[in-house]
Amino acid sequence: MNLNDVLSNRPIPEALQEKLQAEIGQNEKIRFVIVGDLTTEGQYGDCLLAVTESRVLCIESGDTVPFALPLCDISSASVRRLYSNAVLYLNKKAALRASFAVVALMEAVAKGLSDIGEDPTAENLTETVRHLIEKEQCFCPKCGRALIHPGAECLNCISKGRLIKKLSAYLKPQIKPILLSIIISVITVIAELVPPYVTKTLVDNVIPQKNIRLLCGVVAFLLAIYVLQAVIATFRGNLMRLTGAKIIFALRSDVYKKAQYLPVSYYDKTSTGSIYARISNDTNTLNNFMLRVTQEAIVQFLILIGIMIVMFCMNWRLALLSLAPVPVVAIGARFFGKKIKPVYHRIWTRWSSISGLLSDTLPGIRVIKAFAGEKRAIEKFDRYNNNWLKEERRASFLTSLFPQSVNFFITCGTLIIWGLGGSWTIHGVAGMSTGLLVSFLSYAAMFYVPVNFFANLSDSYQQALTSAERLLDILDAEPEADLGKGNAVGTFKGRIEYKNVSFSFDKTDKTLQNINLTIEPGDIVGIVGTTGAGKSTLINLLMRFYDNYEGEILVDGQDIRTIDMESFRSQIGFVQQEPLMFHDTIFNNIALADPDLPVEAVIEAADVSNAHEFIAAMPDGYDTVLGERGTGLSGGERQRISIARAIIKNPSILIFDEATASVDSETEHLIQGAIERLISGRTTLMIAHRLSTLRRANKIVVVDNGQIIECGTPAELMAQKGKYYRLIEIQNMFEEAQRRNEDERFDMGG
Amino acid sequence: MTVRIWIDNEDTRITLREGLQLDIVLPDGKSFNNLTARRLFPISKHNEYVTLLDENGKEVAVIRSLEKLSRESRAAVSQVLQQSYFIPKIEAITDIRDKYGIFHITAKTDHGNCSFKVNARTRSWTVLPDRRVILRDTNDNRYEIPDHEQLDRKSADKYLF
């Protein structure tokens, strides 16, 4: 049997092919093979699980004896996810061990094998495995990244020309001022090349002839050249600085724009501090480099070429001598670039950690003070700062050593010209004169300036390269998948269906498992369960914060992943436990969805959410500018503003995620009133710890360990005496105890 | 709140059973079966604070330190932990290539040679204060560099942590 044609997640290693061929019967047909990467002893090595029409075979590299089990004898099959590896147990015996790279396949196989009674020849299981393998192999052949769906264009590789191509896109709109600058640069170079040549005339002709009139004429001419140089340099400097700023403006804007459309999963894994660092520091580093390139590099390059031409015209022998240090400097620059690049990467990482720490600790300064943590915060900051300093020291040494080495070699070049050129002048060789030597030395000094400049540019270049790579990390990152872009929806009726939905944030554990739930239009659904049960994840999937789940979520019969994202989210009102306020007026915080909303609509929304009264009592009313993250308002006030925000969207579906969890009973009463006015006639999902907030719910869903364990009306669930019943009992006991405590305090006070 | 049972003596008997599960008998004779061992500090404290969970994931007891257990009990718990936790220690990085923001790494580890991918864009590694580096690959597997300054020169030049 040709094992290369067998369905498998990756090619079967040769050593295992031989073992498998030896084990397999002549007419036995292999359905599929799962190739793993660990031995059961926990060493890296090849292993496989082959499923034939009649049995399962587990084979691994080394001397381990293959393990075979007839399909009809399988009584149990399960996968245990451990730490960075998982084990497939067949009849409670460890059959296959592998890293998380194949865990999804192992689980599918385990499920299929445990239901093998209904699928005795593993036909259905083979189809499931085929589907999973195809899904896992849904990657870009160029960069290896996962694609949104099979055949999709890789977002990472679209019109990719890496750094230069990407950055040149930002230069294109500024092509006119750049071209103008190049033309001006040519004039500047000519103006700079003239004075040394005039010096030769002064030394060889004007001064020996003692011609005062000609001397005055030459000096006046030189003065005019210098004035011209100054005027042109000012104009060019201004033009190029503005051009550089415009380029960076566009780049920074694009990075911020892209940051808005990155999926929530990107922010789960990337610290906001590192994103701040990219938008602020990296764009500045790139700006400085752009300025150096646009303002100086072009001129220096033209000077370099111009001087070389003049020098070769004056005396080709001396010109060749003056080029002697150039190869050494060029090789040195390359070596320096290789050495400094990783150092700059590390400096960036250290700096990014500092930014992350700042964005973490400064907004949380109250917590730090409350826990007397100032010293610890300072110590931690110092540790991070020291790490940065350590790398900065390395960079400092390298960046000091290199320019001095370049200077030394350049000085050697000048000495060669003095030595040989001087000797040729004394002996009158090759038509050398004192004036020619002096003039040549002036040109050589001018020639070494651009050489030095380009050698040292590699330092800025490496810094800019690191920054540009970081910026492209964001620009190249895959945005939120919006496969249904353009498929806008009107108003939803509000029927929501979860069909076989499973989801995992990472491969260590499944957060949601096989969720099936139907919510009818106008239903008020309470979602309850212990902390970490998966309640918020259920909502996060409906909000489309994560799209990479198994199964389907339908709204009014339409898969939500096929609906235009903006249109979809505009139909949902979302009130969180800790509503985020922006540093803006209360009015703008309420009218977040549309700042052009009529004033009265905003006031109306605030009134419905019981917020109008306290806003009106503020000296600046709706014009009150909130502090960062809403400082200046109590938790309950922030919550009521966020409800007003939801009201103003007039959404078809409402979601409340622990909206009253962090407020006192009186405020809860006010918020509850606002919520009740808001939810009438809309499909509403409410996550609540305080079960009293769910008194209007007509359906309760109890989530536990990523699964729905109970679902029904409150009365039905109370009759079932299950988890919901126990939660209610506990809550009643707690509230009773709290009431007694309050009564006792009141009595004592009385 | 129930009182946590701390195991920190040689009188507790812990035995291994099939499927990486443990049975314990406490000094007072109370026993629990089919327990799973899980490190509370899988990165910073390998042999301390190991929680024992029952089949419903509920904590039954916590081992303060494996050092305080009898030799047999220690061997049983160690075997379970060793089998459950797979964090290869990287001894040398033989190759590292950055392909469009993904580091393709080939490394020599204490569990053999392996190749894996690490997302450079999301900087999926943590440098701990004691110079250890914990890497997380694109499949959520973990790897450890015990001391990034002790990596051989060639490896150290290749990595960018």
Side-chain angles (χ1 to χ4, degrees):
Chain A
M1 183 177 189
N2 185 3
L3 291 174
N4 293 326
D5 297 336
V6 170
L7 174 67
S8 67
N9 55 326
R10 63 184 174 92
I12 305 169
E14 273 180 30
L16 295 188
Q17 281 199 19
E18 284 172 23
K19 280 189 166 186
L20 186 58
Q21 291 279 22
E23 287 294 320
I24 222 82
Q26 212 165 21
N27 295 321
E28 197 171 5
K29 192 182 166 198
I30 300 173
R31 290 270 188 208
F32 61 86
V33 172
I34 305 295
V35 181
D37 50 3
L38 294 178
T39 64
T40 39
E41 292 305 309
Q43 292 296 315
Y44 282 111
D46 294 317
C47 61
L48 64 79
L49 176 138
V51 174
T52 73
E53 286 165 314
S54 58
R55 59 183 180 146
V56 180
L57 278 162
C58 296
I59 298 171
E60 62 182 50
S61 52
D63 302 329
T64 317
V65 181
F67 161 75
L69 190 65
L71 290 180
C72 55
D73 287 351
I74 294 174
S75 55
S76 72
S78 63
V79 170
R80 207 162 144 211
R81 288 183 187 229
L82 302 166
Y83 194 91
S84 291
N85 71 123
V87 180
L88 170 70
Y89 290 95
L90 292 179
N91 292 357
K92 295 193 176 172
K93 184 177 164 38
L96 184 79
R97 189 172 183 186
S99 74
F100 283 160
V102 279
V103 72
L105 274 170
M106 284 164 77
E107 282 184 335
V109 171
K111 191 172 181 309
L113 292 178
S114 54
D115 298 337
I116 204 73
E118 295 159 21
D119 180 27
T121 56
E123 208 166 322
N124 296 340
L125 174 59
T126 309
E127 278 317 298
T128 308
V129 169
R130 187 189 306 281
H131 175 71
L132 264 175
I133 288 175
E134 276 170 11
K135 198 178 159 195
E136 287 204 349
Q137 287 175 344
C138 173
F139 56 80
C140 170
K142 192 175 171 190
C143 70
R145 294 182 131 210
L147 300 177
I148 296 167
H149 57 83
E153 204 170 5
C154 177
L155 292 164
N156 189 45
C157 296
I158 293 172
S159 52
K160 178 172 288 301
R162 295 303 291 163
L163 218 61
I164 294 172
K165 196 174 172 187
K166 285 266 178 189
L167 292 179
S168 62
Y170 290 92
L171 294 177
K172 217 172 166 186
Q174 304 302 326
I175 198 72
K176 279 184 189 167
I178 290 171
L179 282 176
L180 182 61
S181 166
I182 291 171
I183 294 166
I184 298 170
S185 301
V186 175
I187 302 170
T188 312
V189 171
I190 294 168
E192 284 192 16
L193 290 177
V194 171
Y197 195 79
V198 176
T199 314
K200 177 182 173 288
T201 316
L202 273 174
V203 175
D204 282 349
N205 304 325
V206 181
I207 295 172
Q209 289 169 19
K210 297 177 181 169
N211 187 341
I212 297 295
R213 204 174 157 182
L214 192 57
L215 179 68
C216 291
V218 170
V219 170
F221 176 71
L222 283 175
L223 179 68
I225 293 281
Y226 291 139
V227 169
L228 182 71
Q229 275 181 10
V231 171
I232 289 175
T234 310
F235 177 69
R236 220 186 115 265
N238 182 42
L239 181 72
M240 290 326 294
R241 190 176 177 112
L242 195 64
T243 308
K246 282 181 182 169
I247 292 167
I248 294 306
F249 167 83
L251 182 63
R252 192 180 282 157
S253 245
D254 277 3
V255 173
Y256 185 73
K257 209 182 291 170
K258 185 64 186 280
Q260 297 294 315
Y261 289 104
L262 289 175
V264 173
S265 55
Y266 183 91
Y267 290 97
D268 288 347
K269 291 180 177 172
T270 314
S271 77
T272 41
S274 94
I275 295 172
Y276 291 157
R278 291 170 208 215
I279 296 174
S280 54
N281 299 354
D282 287 327
T283 46
N284 273 339
T285 309
L286 212 54
N287 188 18
N288 291 337
F289 177 71
M290 292 266 201
L291 286 175
R292 277 199 83 182
V293 170
T294 51
Q295 285 191 3
E296 295 177 54
I298 298 168
V299 175
Q300 297 295 341
F301 179 72
L302 292 173
I303 288 177
L304 190 81
I305 301 295
I307 294 174
M308 272 174 68
I309 293 169
V310 174
M311 282 163 73
F312 272 94
C313 290
M314 286 173 83
N315 189 310
W316 65 269
R317 289 184 187 88
L318 271 182
L320 278 179
L321 278 178
S322 56
L323 287 179
V326 174
V328 182
V329 171
I331 293 167
R334 198 173 157 73
F335 178 74
F336 171 74
K338 274 190 177 173
K339 282 278 159 202
I340 198 78
K341 192 180 174 189
V343 179
Y344 279 136
H345 267 280
R346 285 195 287 262
I347 287 176
W348 189 91
T349 310
R350 307 291 184 261
W351 177 244
S352 168
S353 303
I354 292 175
S355 299
L357 189 69
L358 288 175
S359 61
D360 239 14
T361 51
L362 292 181
I365 196 76
R366 284 176 183 78
V367 181
I368 292 174
K369 282 180 183 297
F371 287 87
E374 292 97 329
K375 277 186 191 156
R376 286 189 299 277
I378 293 166
E379 275 164 19
K380 194 170 180 185
F381 184 82
D382 283 348
R383 202 166 60 238
Y384 282 34
N385 216 6
N386 265 325
N387 287 341
W388 169 82
L389 186 63
K390 206 168 141 189
E391 292 305 328
E392 196 60 50
R393 269 197 199 114
R394 285 183 199 174
S396 166
F397 172 70
L398 286 170
T399 50
S400 309
L401 177 70
F402 179 66
Q404 292 315 316
S405 312
V406 170
N407 271 341
F408 171 74
F409 285 114
I410 284 172
T411 314
C412 290
T414 316
L415 286 179
I416 293 170
I417 299 171
W418 264 116
L420 280 172
S423 158
W424 291 344
T425 309
I426 291 166
H427 296 107
V429 178
M432 284 294 294
S433 66
T434 311
L436 183 65
L437 180 65
V438 172
S439 168
F440 202 92
L441 279 163
S442 302
Y443 278 119
M446 282 173 71
F447 173 71
Y448 290 134
V449 172
V451 171
N452 205 338
F453 172 84
F454 283 112
N456 286 307
L457 190 67
S458 72
D459 180 25
S460 309
Y461 171 71
Q462 292 302 339
Q463 271 192 49
L465 200 67
T466 306
S467 293
E469 280 175 11
R470 303 291 151 221
L471 287 169
L472 290 183
D473 278 355
I474 296 183
L475 289 173
D476 284 354
E478 287 160 23
E480 269 182 320
D482 193 4
L483 300 175
K485 194 155 183 66
N487 180 26
V489 283
T491 309
F492 285 133
K493 284 187 188 126
R495 184 185 158 86
I496 303 168
E497 287 169 274
Y498 286 75
K499 283 187 169 174
N500 306 316
V501 173
S502 295
F503 175 72
S504 156
F505 284 102
D506 52 32
K507 295 191 179 179
T508 52
D509 209 1
K510 282 208 166 169
T511 316
L512 291 180
Q513 291 181 63
N514 203 24
I515 299 288
N516 284 291
L517 175 67
T518 305
I519 298 164
E520 297 298 338
D523 268 357
I524 299 167
V525 181
I527 302 171
V528 299
T530 45
T531 307
K535 307 184 295 290
S536 293
T537 310
L538 210 59
I539 297 304
N540 285 339
L541 298 191
L542 181 63
M543 286 297 295
R544 292 186 61 189
F545 291 150
Y546 302 92
D547 265 353
N548 55 332
Y549 52 86
E550 293 163 32
E552 281 178 320
I553 301 177
L554 310 175
V555 171
D556 289 355
Q558 241 185 308
D559 186 334
I560 58 172
R561 285 178 289 202
T562 63
I563 301 172
D564 183 277
M565 181 85 82
E566 201 180 330
S567 151
F568 177 75
R569 286 192 183 146
S570 70
Q571 288 295 309
I572 299 181
F574 186 36
V575 181
Q576 291 165 279
Q577 183 181 356
E578 297 289 345
L580 188 74
M581 298 287 127
F582 296 98
H583 178 47
D584 205 339
T585 61
I586 289 184
F587 180 91
N588 286 340
N589 266 288
I590 296 175
L592 199 61
D594 180 6
D596 295 328
L597 281 166
V599 173
E600 283 170 30
V602 172
I603 294 173
E604 192 61 35
D607 204 18
V608 175
S609 69
N610 282 336
H612 177 70
E613 207 175 314
F614 79 81
I615 296 170
M618 289 175 148
D620 292 330
Y622 285 86
D623 286 331
T624 306
V625 176
L626 302 179
E628 273 181 63
R629 293 161 202 249
T631 44
L633 293 182
S634 71
E637 286 168 343
R638 281 202 292 271
Q639 195 56 280
R640 279 176 276 167
I641 286 183
S642 84
I643 293 172
R645 236 183 228 169
I647 291 170
I648 217 148
K649 277 175 84 178
N650 192 22
S652 315
I653 297 167
L654 273 166
I655 297 171
F656 295 91
D657 190 352
E658 307 272 16
T660 58
S662 49
V663 294
D664 58 72
S665 306
E666 202 179 326
T667 313
E668 186 197 357
H669 180 70
L670 284 169
I671 294 173
Q672 201 59 38
I675 290 174
E676 283 180 14
R677 279 198 286 271
L678 175 59
I679 62 180
S680 111
R682 304 175 212 260
T683 305
T684 306
L685 283 83
M686 300 173 97
I687 296 178
H689 264 125
R690 285 187 191 169
L691 303 179
S692 56
T693 54
L694 301 177
R695 58 176 177 264
R696 289 222 22 217
N698 64 335
K699 187 183 255 181
I700 299 288
V701 175
V702 185
V703 184
D704 193 37
N705 214 7
Q707 289 171 307
I708 294 178
I709 55 166
E710 287 170 30
C711 181
T713 63
E716 281 168 1
L717 297 193
M718 286 302 282
Q720 268 183 31
K721 296 205 169 180
K723 180 108 180 171
Y724 179 70
Y725 174 83
R726 283 199 301 278
L727 287 171
I728 290 278
E729 290 282 290
I730 293 166
Q731 197 127 55
N732 286 344
M733 274 163 56
F734 175 74
E735 279 171 7
E736 181 61 29
Q738 204 174 22
R739 222 176 1 255
R740 268 205 306 271
N741 278 346
E742 276 171 15
D743 288 348
E744 276 169 24
R745 274 205 300 272
F746 183 75
D747 287 346
M748 281 166 74
Chain B
M1 199 171 74
T2 52
V3 179
R4 175 165 290 110
I5 301 172
W6 290 102
I7 299 175
D8 52 3
N9 53 59
E10 294 195 352
D11 301 333
T12 302
R13 199 151 47 83
I14 307 179
T15 47
L16 179 66
R17 58 189 294 155
E18 263 186 3
L20 298 177
Q21 292 195 310
L22 298 164
D23 291 344
I24 66 170
V25 181
L26 298 173
D28 61 3
K30 212 187 267 180
S31 66
F32 300 94
N33 299 328
N34 294 329
L35 302 181
T36 306
R38 190 173 287 182
R39 285 184 177 124
L40 289 175
F41 302 90
I43 291 167
S44 56
K45 295 182 199 321
H46 279 202
N47 292 327
E48 291 169 57
Y49 301 103
V50 176
T51 181
L52 300 172
L53 309 170
D54 68 12
E55 282 159 309
N56 299 318
K58 200 170 164 246
E59 185 177 278
V60 167
V62 178
I63 302 170
R64 269 213 176 92
S65 167
L66 296 196
E67 299 303 317
K68 293 185 176 167
L69 300 178
S70 67
R71 199 176 343 144
E72 296 77 24
S73 299
R74 187 164 62 233
V77 180
S78 296
Q79 197 177 334
V80 170
L81 292 177
Q82 207 184 339
Q83 293 278 310
S84 306
Y85 285 79
F86 186 71
I87 316 174
K89 286 190 170 60
I90 293 176
E91 292 161 356
I93 294 174
T94 43
D95 193 31
I96 178 166
R97 279 157 211 253
D98 182 1
K99 286 188 189 171
Y100 305 105
I102 304 283
F103 283 146
H104 293 243
I105 298 174
T106 308
K108 190 179 158 206
T109 75
D110 60 341
H111 288 263
N113 297 334
C114 64
S115 298
F116 55 94
K117 291 180 232 170
V118 169
N119 196 334
R121 291 167 193 279
T122 54
R123 310 195 79 75
S124 301
W125 56 82
T126 315
V127 182
L128 300 170
D130 59 359
R131 300 199 299 257
R132 278 190 301 150
V133 180
I134 304 294
L135 290 150
R136 198 180 67 192
D137 76 4
T138 47
N139 284 310
D140 287 313
N141 297 307
R142 266 77 164 173
Y143 306 82
E144 181 184 334
I145 297 173
D147 183 344
H148 66 82
E149 292 198 354
Q150 294 298 313
L151 269 184
D152 62 287
R153 183 67 193 264
K154 212 174 154 192
S155 299
D157 281 349
K158 282 175 187 162
Y159 85 103
L160 302 168
F161 313 117

